[in-house]
Amino acid sequence: MNWLWLGIAAVLLYALWQCRGAFVARPLPWLRDNTNSSDGGSAVIAPLFSLIDDDVNRAIEQLLKQGAEQSRNPEPLFALAIAYRRRGELDRAVTIHQSLLARPDFAQAWRDRALLELGRDYLTLGWLDRAESLLEQSMAAPATRLEAGRCLLRLHEMQRQWSQAEAWAIKLAAQGLRDDATRERVAHYRAAEAADALKQRKLARAEQLANASLSLVPDQPRAQGLLLQVACLKRDQAQVRALLDRML
């Protein structure tokens, strides 16, 4: 019986030795050459994007441990750059995105994405002129158009350029990129611009913009409050009463 078990063990050891290539030195999926792949290994790297949201330090540790910096697949490099950006290490994020953008061996879709992400890096850094230039270029690529447009909206909001923000929101809607918040967003921009006009004592302009906001969202609270302030400044008691009745 002992000889039988020894024989079985010898056969198993020989089989394992013959198949050692299947278990030893197998490259990680993202270290394979997927530069022109349509999915970029997303199924492999996707869990790490969730990890970035939960624990960015651990995500960076895992990416570095598993060779992301030497990857021939762009996806882990994007994940690493996004993790660095989340941790505030924007110089590293910029360096990675610039290197991805400069890689002629990567498919155009990857370079389009690198352009968008570099624009987002600049936006986070506050380099608004550079960010605006890259994000406007990203609008040319269908895959990055929606996110680039949203970033441009944020850029104009940061600069309190309400008319430009409204123009971009309308432009996105005209291109079929409307979302459920478009009307509310434009109404907000008009109310914000009305508030700026009111600070400058431009009462007619403030009233016009507040009414324009209410034409989109009839119960926009900021616009209603601004109209009430204008009526008070004009000492229009009838308008004050009408607005109070409407608001209450």
XYZ file of all heavy atoms in Angstrom, residues 166 181-193 209-210 212-218 220 222-223:
201
model
N -23.762 79.476 -18.563
C -25.065 79.236 -19.188
C -24.906 78.847 -20.651
O -25.577 77.932 -21.144
C -25.935 80.482 -19.061
C -27.290 80.317 -19.718
C -28.159 81.561 -19.593
O -27.893 82.385 -18.710
O -29.103 81.698 -20.399
N -30.760 68.037 -14.855
C -30.537 69.253 -14.079
C -30.250 70.475 -14.951
O -29.938 71.532 -14.406
C -29.385 69.031 -13.104
N -30.363 70.365 -16.270
C -29.977 71.480 -17.135
C -30.800 72.731 -16.838
O -30.243 73.827 -16.680
C -30.134 71.090 -18.613
O -29.264 69.995 -18.898
C -29.763 72.257 -19.513
N -32.111 72.602 -16.760
C -32.959 73.774 -16.513
C -32.638 74.390 -15.149
O -32.530 75.612 -15.016
C -34.438 73.393 -16.587
C -34.909 73.036 -17.988
C -36.349 72.568 -17.958
N -37.266 73.623 -17.553
C -37.789 74.521 -18.386
N -37.502 74.480 -19.672
N -38.614 75.445 -17.950
N -32.488 73.539 -14.137
C -32.180 74.043 -12.797
C -30.830 74.740 -12.771
O -30.655 75.763 -12.110
C -32.194 72.892 -11.787
C -33.577 72.336 -11.471
C -34.086 71.371 -12.543
O -33.351 71.122 -13.529
O -35.217 70.882 -12.393
N -29.868 74.190 -13.529
C -28.526 74.775 -13.554
C -28.548 76.163 -14.201
O -27.980 77.116 -13.684
C -27.574 73.852 -14.308
C -26.135 74.344 -14.317
C -25.219 73.390 -15.066
N -25.059 72.141 -14.360
C -25.486 70.963 -14.814
N -26.098 70.884 -15.986
N -25.295 69.869 -14.118
N -29.217 76.266 -15.352
C -29.283 77.551 -16.031
C -30.051 78.566 -15.171
O -29.664 79.744 -15.091
C -29.927 77.396 -17.416
C -30.167 78.757 -18.067
C -29.033 76.540 -18.314
N -31.107 78.118 -14.506
C -31.849 79.009 -13.613
C -30.949 79.510 -12.483
O -31.008 80.686 -12.092
C -33.064 78.288 -13.041
N -30.103 78.643 -11.983
C -29.157 79.037 -10.926
C -28.178 80.087 -11.442
O -27.890 81.075 -10.752
C -28.398 77.814 -10.430
C -27.171 78.142 -9.627
N -27.242 78.605 -8.335
C -25.853 78.107 -9.954
C -26.022 78.842 -7.885
N -25.161 78.541 -8.845
N -27.657 79.881 -12.662
C -26.712 80.846 -13.225
C -27.359 82.222 -13.366
O -26.739 83.252 -13.055
C -26.219 80.386 -14.594
C -25.436 79.097 -14.586
C -25.447 78.244 -15.686
C -24.683 78.714 -13.480
C -24.731 77.063 -15.691
C -23.972 77.532 -13.464
C -24.006 76.707 -14.574
O -23.298 75.531 -14.575
N -28.595 82.252 -13.841
C -29.268 83.536 -14.031
C -29.537 84.225 -12.684
O -29.412 85.451 -12.569
C -30.568 83.326 -14.810
C -30.319 82.906 -16.249
C -31.593 82.648 -17.020
N -31.306 82.261 -18.404
C -32.225 81.926 -19.290
N -33.513 81.922 -18.946
N -31.883 81.585 -20.524
N -29.888 83.435 -11.678
C -30.098 84.019 -10.352
C -28.787 84.546 -9.778
O -28.760 85.616 -9.152
C -30.712 82.975 -9.418
N -27.689 83.807 -9.988
C -26.386 84.258 -9.495
C -25.961 85.546 -10.189
O -25.416 86.466 -9.551
C -25.345 83.166 -9.720
N -26.213 85.636 -11.497
C -25.872 86.852 -12.227
C -26.760 88.014 -11.771
O -26.307 89.168 -11.689
C -26.028 86.625 -13.727
C -25.393 87.702 -14.588
C -25.393 87.360 -16.072
O -25.881 86.265 -16.442
O -24.902 88.200 -16.852
N -32.900 89.464 -14.914
C -32.259 88.151 -14.772
C -33.024 87.259 -13.799
O -33.144 86.047 -14.016
C -30.815 88.326 -14.315
C -29.863 88.893 -15.370
C -28.566 89.376 -14.739
C -29.571 87.820 -16.430
N -33.540 87.838 -12.724
C -34.312 87.043 -11.764
C -35.573 86.492 -12.426
O -35.944 85.327 -12.222
C -34.656 87.890 -10.548
N -35.896 85.935 -15.596
C -35.436 84.917 -16.547
C -35.186 83.593 -15.842
O -35.456 82.516 -16.393
C -34.169 85.398 -17.245
N -34.673 83.660 -14.622
C -34.465 82.438 -13.829
C -35.802 81.773 -13.508
O -35.969 80.564 -13.661
C -33.719 82.781 -12.545
O -33.600 81.645 -11.711
N -36.775 82.592 -13.102
C -38.090 82.052 -12.747
C -38.843 81.527 -13.960
O -39.731 80.674 -13.818
C -38.919 83.128 -12.042
C -38.411 83.535 -10.653
C -39.163 84.742 -10.127
C -38.523 82.367 -9.681
N -38.493 82.004 -15.151
C -39.147 81.483 -16.357
C -38.772 80.026 -16.605
O -39.506 79.288 -17.268
C -38.765 82.331 -17.573
O -37.400 82.128 -17.922
N -37.629 79.615 -16.083
C -37.189 78.228 -16.218
C -37.646 77.376 -15.038
O -38.089 76.237 -15.204
C -35.661 78.168 -16.338
C -35.053 78.760 -17.604
C -33.533 78.782 -17.509
C -35.491 77.971 -18.829
N -37.489 77.916 -13.841
C -37.881 77.197 -12.622
C -38.737 78.149 -11.795
O -38.205 79.013 -11.073
C -36.641 76.745 -11.814
C -37.070 75.998 -10.552
C -35.744 75.863 -12.670
N -40.063 78.066 -11.898
C -40.950 79.058 -11.284
C -40.796 79.227 -9.774
O -41.102 80.299 -9.244
C -42.354 78.531 -11.629
C -42.149 77.731 -12.875
C -40.797 77.092 -12.712
N -37.867 78.964 -8.083
C -36.457 79.143 -7.740
C -36.355 80.123 -6.566
O -36.650 81.309 -6.702
C -35.692 79.690 -8.956
C -34.307 79.100 -9.166
C -33.257 79.669 -8.217
O -33.466 80.672 -7.570
N -32.120 79.010 -8.142
N -33.924 81.570 -4.778
C -33.005 82.705 -4.798
C -33.536 83.821 -5.697
O -33.468 85.001 -5.338
C -31.624 82.258 -5.276
C -30.567 83.335 -5.115
C -29.192 82.857 -5.535
N -28.171 83.825 -5.196
C -26.895 83.713 -5.558
N -26.474 82.663 -6.255
N -26.017 84.637 -5.207
N -34.073 83.440 -6.838
C -34.620 84.445 -7.760
C -35.801 85.173 -7.124
O -35.951 86.396 -7.265
C -35.022 83.780 -9.068
